[in-house]
Amino acid sequence: PERSTALKFLTGVKSGVEVSPLLSPEPGMYKYEAFMIFLAREFQRFKEHGRIFSLVLFDIKGGGNSNRLRPLSPDSVASLTRKIDLLKRPVDVFASFDVDAGHYALLLPDTDVRKSTILARCIHQVFGLSSLNVDEKGISVASGIAGLPEHGNDLDSLVAASR
């Protein structure tokens, strides 16, 4: 019975309709609340077992060829999610950090900052080579990378270092 209740919470089963409270409408992207759960779990693994992890925060906006950058359209966010899903490992967590502002996060368990930097550069290159949607005039991608223990020993210092 406990497992059934937990599964119902995670999948959001309500009256026979499945709506996940943890997943964004875009396939493969988690909501901010889910991301915070995963981040807390990784931090706990770091504290208890010394397992390293990295956090990459992205600022991704459309209209990169103009002076007026704006958050991505829903279609472009879906395309963004599909492209990042091809680049990341299944264990990595991609999430909306603040979609309205164009902020996204990528949590990389068991990954040091050097390897996270390589992945972030790869993501930058992919978005430099192609646009997400015909409505976007160009993509602007900025990222910040931080890891534990390299950038502190608590979540506040990790997030601050990755901004």
Side-chain angles (χ1 to χ4, degrees):
E2 285 183 31
R3 186 160 195 234
S4 173
T5 305
L7 288 174
K8 284 183 180 180
F9 169 75
L10 289 173
T11 60
V13 176
K14 297 178 183 174
S15 306
V17 177
E18 291 191 29
V19 179
S20 177
L22 300 179
L23 289 174
S24 287
E26 296 76 24
M29 185 188 308
Y30 286 93
K31 291 181 180 178
Y32 174 81
E33 295 82 6
F35 176 75
M36 295 310 289
I37 292 169
F38 288 116
L39 184 61
R41 184 194 72 195
E42 287 306 316
F43 182 67
Q44 193 65 31
R45 289 178 66 219
F46 168 73
K47 283 184 6 184
E48 291 178 2
H49 307 290
R51 302 299 295 257
I52 64 170
F53 70 96
S54 295
L55 173 64
V56 182
L57 293 182
F58 292 99
D59 183 5
I60 304 175
K61 294 191 172 68
N65 296 336
S66 72
N67 292 333
R68 305 182 88 205
L69 296 177
R70 63 194 178 291
L72 300 174
S73 69
D75 288 342
S76 292
V77 171
S79 179
L80 161 82
T81 303
R82 284 191 301 274
K83 288 185 179 193
I84 288 182
D85 199 43
L86 293 172
L87 297 171
K88 71 177 190 65
R89 303 170 300 177
V91 70
D92 299 336
V93 177
F94 182 62
S96 58
F97 207 69
D98 183 355
V99 174
D100 294 334
H103 300 154
Y104 304 89
L106 186 58
L107 179 63
L108 304 165
D110 298 316
T111 307
D112 63 22
V113 172
R114 186 183 60 78
K115 290 178 185 171
S116 299
T117 302
I118 293 169
L119 178 60
R121 284 183 184 154
C122 184
I123 290 171
H124 279 263
Q125 288 175 345
V126 166
F127 292 115
L129 297 174
S130 66
S131 67
L132 296 171
N133 187 317
V134 293
D135 295 337
E136 305 295 343
K137 299 287 190 251
I139 303 299
S140 169
V141 181
S143 60
I145 304 164
L148 290 182
E150 294 97 326
H151 295 101
N153 286 319
D154 59 56
L155 290 178
D156 290 337
S157 60
L158 177 72
V159 173
S162 65
R163 288 191 182 260

